[in-house]
Amino acid sequence: MSILALIAQQGELKSSALEAVSVANQIAQKADMQLIAVYIGPPLADQLKRLEGFGIEKIVVFESEAVTYYQNDICVPILQKLVTEFDIKVIIGSATSIGKEVCASIAAKLDAELIQDCIEVDWDDGLQAKKPIFAGKIISDISFTNMPAIISVRPNILPVIRNREGAPEIIKREMPHVPHAKSIKNIVREAKSGVELTEAKVIVAGGRGIGGPENWPVLQELCDVMGAALGASRSAVDAGWIHHTHQIGQTGKVVSPDLYIACGISGAIQHQAGMRNSKVVVAINKDPGAEIFSSCDYGIVGDLFEVVPLLTKEMRKLLS
Amino acid sequence: MKIVVLIKSVPDTASIFKVAEDNKFVVIGNPKFIMSPYDEYALEEAIKVKESVSGEVVVVSFGDENALEVMRTALAVGADSAILVENSDADSFTGKGVSKVLAAVIKTLSPNIIFAGKQAVDDDGCQVPERVAEILGISHASAVTRFELQGLTAEADREVEGGYCTMEITFPALCTVEKGINTPRYPTLPNIMKAKRKEIRKMTLEELNLSADDVRPGLTVNSISLPRQERLLKKLEGEIGAQVKQLTSILREEKIGL
Ligand SMILES: Cc1cc2nc3c(=O)[nH]c(=O)nc-3n(C[C@H](O)[C@H](O)[C@H](O)COP(=O)(O)OP(=O)(O)OC[C@H]3O[C@@H](n4cnc5c(N)ncnc54)[C@H](O)[C@@H]3O)c2cc1C
Ligand SMILES: Nc1ncnc2c1ncn2[C@@H]1O[C@H](COP(=O)(O)O)[C@@H](O)[C@H]1O
């Protein structure tokens, strides 16, 4: 009996992958199962070394430049075979956009239950997981009663823990040839630079209070000083001030940074659905009655155009 | 072009949620049921495709009687017909079971494209559409932000960590949609009137020949709880400059985000 950890693709080992592997290691120890990992994607080369210390016995590697992003017609059959080969009972992946698609596909193929976006995972005679539902208003504590059991882990919530000796055995395999029967062909178009919201330790977010797209530099400067990612409320996105990729909330991204600085954001429930898991929330808003003040750690009542530049200045002093 | 849209009726997330005494059930004050927001984008995209090439849009849902109103809305927005697999116990199904129900209905329709939301905002399950596609053996693309029909294929974008990728999709295929793909239209009064005359076809699980084993959940909910809210709720005081200095020293001392 084994556990399979899915290592996120894209030719770079992301911290979300290491978090998933850490969870898999914990479960493998508690359940006394061996831990197998699989990687399907462009060559990882030296980065494979970063997978030491997690108690992985074998990493099965399918390397090809041709599969930069997920393709279900290639990945699902590979995973299905591994499940049989290693008698896999538990599969653990990352709840990234692609990670969730992989987990859903393989779950269907195995007729297995799946819980996406888990914020806590445990083993007690079976796999257990906690997951936010109703836009994070409720946390559901769920047990699997059947195996195989599949989960994806929400990025940036659970720690990366290396607690075992020894290097994994690396098994390189040929990428299977897939006839062009299936139809999703991936073409990479662009890779954006900058800090990614879902991996960011600090997020500075702006809402309608920033007044217009010309004012983003006020927040961007603070981002640059703090190494933060820029987020936005839906109102700012819907006004056309910034691209939807920056939106945080129920219909945007779910983030969990160490520090979330909300500037000119009222704190609507749908916005909170995306940032509720931040460790520390700072709110800057000129309305003392704004909802955000009833769910933040530190609040400053004031005009963001006065507060943010001062904060940028102080942070620059502190960090230089 | 035959297009199916998967639509789920969900309690409005602005409703009040409570934990019942047995720690098991979500009690909703003033329940109001709405179309899951991502499904609105899915429906809009389907109607846009239909308008560009002609065809028909069928909305399909599995739910209890609360789903009827949402199906009616979908018809008023522009769907041609609606199928509701009605079951008073639909809430107890997991993604595994729901997807089998929906796939069984869709199999009888043989659509070219299926649109669905990227997630339902009640259980945030993030799996039903992909499962449906795998059961039907067709391609799928998740969280699509742009969909453009190009003759017999379509080009679609999705967000991935650190960028986008563009896909070429041949049919049949299923796409789940992400916010930003379009702006859903509102139903007009004449269309609301017209929709009243359209029929919502009801089906039962029995008609779909699914056995109890097929749809039995492999999960149990032990308990539900409210998220830990341990915010300090500290409003800083003094003039702005002093407040900012106080904040930075807290961040420094507590090593927050540094
Ligand atoms: C189905 C659904 C899904 C949704 N999904 C999302 C989502 O994913 N994300 C999301 O964010 N919202 C979402 N919303 C919208 C949400 O309900 C709110 O409308 C939105 O979050 C409000 O954005 P805001 O705080 O920027 O704007 P507002 O509510 O208008 O707040 C602006 C704030 O800025 C303050 N302000 C103005 N000027 C200044 C200044 N100079 N200095 C300091 N403060 C200032 C004001 O006091 C006010 O509090 C959703 C809504 C629905 C119905
Ligand atoms: N009971 C259902 N009836 C119809 N469509 C559904 C149902 N459950 C889920 N879906 C579709 O699948 C999407 C994702 O749902 P989920 O996987 O539950 O997050 C939804 O946005 C709907 O399009």
Side-chain angles (χ1 to χ4, degrees), chain A residues 208 233-235 247-248 250-251 266 270-271 285 303-304:
Chain A
R208 202 196 299 273
S233 75
R234 174 165 172 175
S235 296
Q247 184 180 318
I248 289 167
Q250 183 186 314
T251 42
S266 59
Q270 296 92 349
H271 186 77
N285 195 306
D303 186 338
L304 76 91

Side-chain angles (χ1 to χ4, degrees), chain A residues 189-225:
Chain A
R189 190 210 261 163
E190 63 167 60
K192 276 179 300 187
S193 58
V195 187
E196 273 171 42
L197 278 170
T198 45
E199 300 224 329
K201 292 289 172 211
V202 181
I203 291 174
V204 177
R208 202 196 299 273
I210 73 143
E214 65 282 4
N215 295 326
W216 289 118
V218 177
L219 301 192
Q220 188 59 53
E221 211 180 324
L222 180 58
C223 287
D224 292 344
V225 170

Side-chain angles (χ1 to χ4, degrees), chain B residues 6-8 39 60-62 98 102 116-117 119-120 123-129:
Chain B
L6 300 180
I7 291 198
K8 188 173 189 187
D39 301 358
V60 177
S61 187
F62 172 53
V98 172
L102 295 172
Q119 77 193 71
D123 61 7
D124 293 315
C126 305
Q127 53 184 283
V128 166

Side-chain angles (χ1 to χ4, degrees), chain A:
Chain A
M1 292 204 290
S2 327
I3 294 186
L4 183 66
L6 307 178
I7 295 168
Q9 299 177 327
Q10 304 181 18
E12 196 193 322
L13 216 45
K14 300 256 177 192
S15 52
S16 53
L18 300 180
E19 289 156 17
V21 170
S22 301
V23 170
N25 177 26
Q26 259 172 306
I27 302 302
Q29 284 175 294
K30 283 196 176 170
D32 197 19
M33 293 196 207
Q34 73 166 340
L35 179 54
I36 310 288
V38 58
Y39 173 79
I40 309 168
L44 272 183
D46 271 2
Q47 295 185 70
L48 281 172
K49 285 214 180 70
R50 292 176 59 207
L51 291 167
E52 289 177 13
F54 296 105
I56 303 174
E57 290 185 29
K58 298 181 172 78
I59 307 181
V60 189
V61 178
F62 295 83
E63 284 177 339
S64 161
E65 290 290 357
V67 191
T68 305
Y69 292 121
Y70 172 62
Q71 268 177 277
N72 65 303
D73 47 349
I74 296 178
C75 300
V76 173
I78 290 180
L79 297 177
Q80 236 181 324
K81 272 202 192 131
L82 292 179
V83 166
T84 318
E85 179 178 345
F86 293 103
D87 190 21
I88 303 290
K89 296 296 182 207
V90 175
I91 301 179
I92 298 180
S94 307
T96 57
S97 170
I98 288 178
K100 284 192 277 197
E101 190 173 352
V102 180
C103 288
S105 322
I106 187 67
K109 274 287 178 288
L110 300 174
D111 195 23
E113 289 288 2
L114 160 67
I115 305 175
Q116 303 269 35
D117 227 8
C118 299
I119 54 170
E120 246 179 83
V121 185
D122 203 355
W123 180 272
D124 181 10
D125 235 15
L127 194 65
Q128 301 188 329
K130 284 193 184 162
K131 138 173 201 86
I133 54 172
F134 289 103
K137 280 184 165 179
I138 302 273
I139 308 294
S140 185
D141 180 341
I142 307 165
S143 294
F144 285 83
T145 51
N146 282 3
M147 299 226 254
I150 307 178
I151 55 163
S152 66
V153 180
R154 180 177 286 189
N156 234 347
I157 294 262
L158 297 167
V160 172
I161 303 170
R162 289 184 174 83
N163 64 2
R164 293 221 260 176
E165 301 276 305
E169 176 193 350
I170 292 170
I171 305 173
K172 294 213 174 177
R173 295 215 174 140
E174 272 301 293
M175 188 75 88
H177 177 72
V178 179
H180 290 286
K182 280 288 184 78
S183 47
I184 296 179
K185 185 171 88 188
N186 284 1
I187 314 156
V188 181
R189 190 210 261 163
E190 63 167 60
K192 276 179 300 187
S193 58
V195 187
E196 273 171 42
L197 278 170
T198 45
E199 300 224 329
K201 292 289 172 211
V202 181
I203 291 174
V204 177
R208 202 196 299 273
I210 73 143
E214 65 282 4
N215 295 326
W216 289 118
V218 177
L219 301 192
Q220 188 59 53
E221 211 180 324
L222 180 58
C223 287
D224 292 344
V225 170
M226 298 194 76
L230 182 65
S233 75
R234 174 165 172 175
S235 296
V237 171
D238 284 356
W241 299 348
I242 193 166
H243 194 266
H244 170 250
T245 46
H246 292 268
Q247 184 180 318
I248 289 167
Q250 183 186 314
T251 42
K253 290 202 163 68
V254 175
V255 296
S256 35
D258 292 342
L259 175 61
Y260 190 90
I261 306 179
C263 310
I265 291 178
S266 59
I269 185 76
Q270 296 92 349
H271 186 77
Q272 295 205 26
M275 43 69 79
R276 194 188 307 267
N277 276 303
S278 307
K279 289 195 189 82
V280 173
V281 175
V282 170
I284 299 166
N285 195 306
K286 67 179 182 192
D287 172 11
E291 215 174 316
I292 190 87
F293 288 124
S294 41
S295 52
C296 73
D297 293 289
Y298 303 103
I300 295 183
V301 179
D303 186 338
L304 76 91
F305 295 107
E306 184 187 351
V307 178
V308 176
L310 277 174
L311 184 57
T312 308
K313 199 172 118 205
E314 287 298 322
M315 289 311 299
R316 188 176 279 129
K317 260 200 269 173
L318 181 67
L319 293 168
S320 65

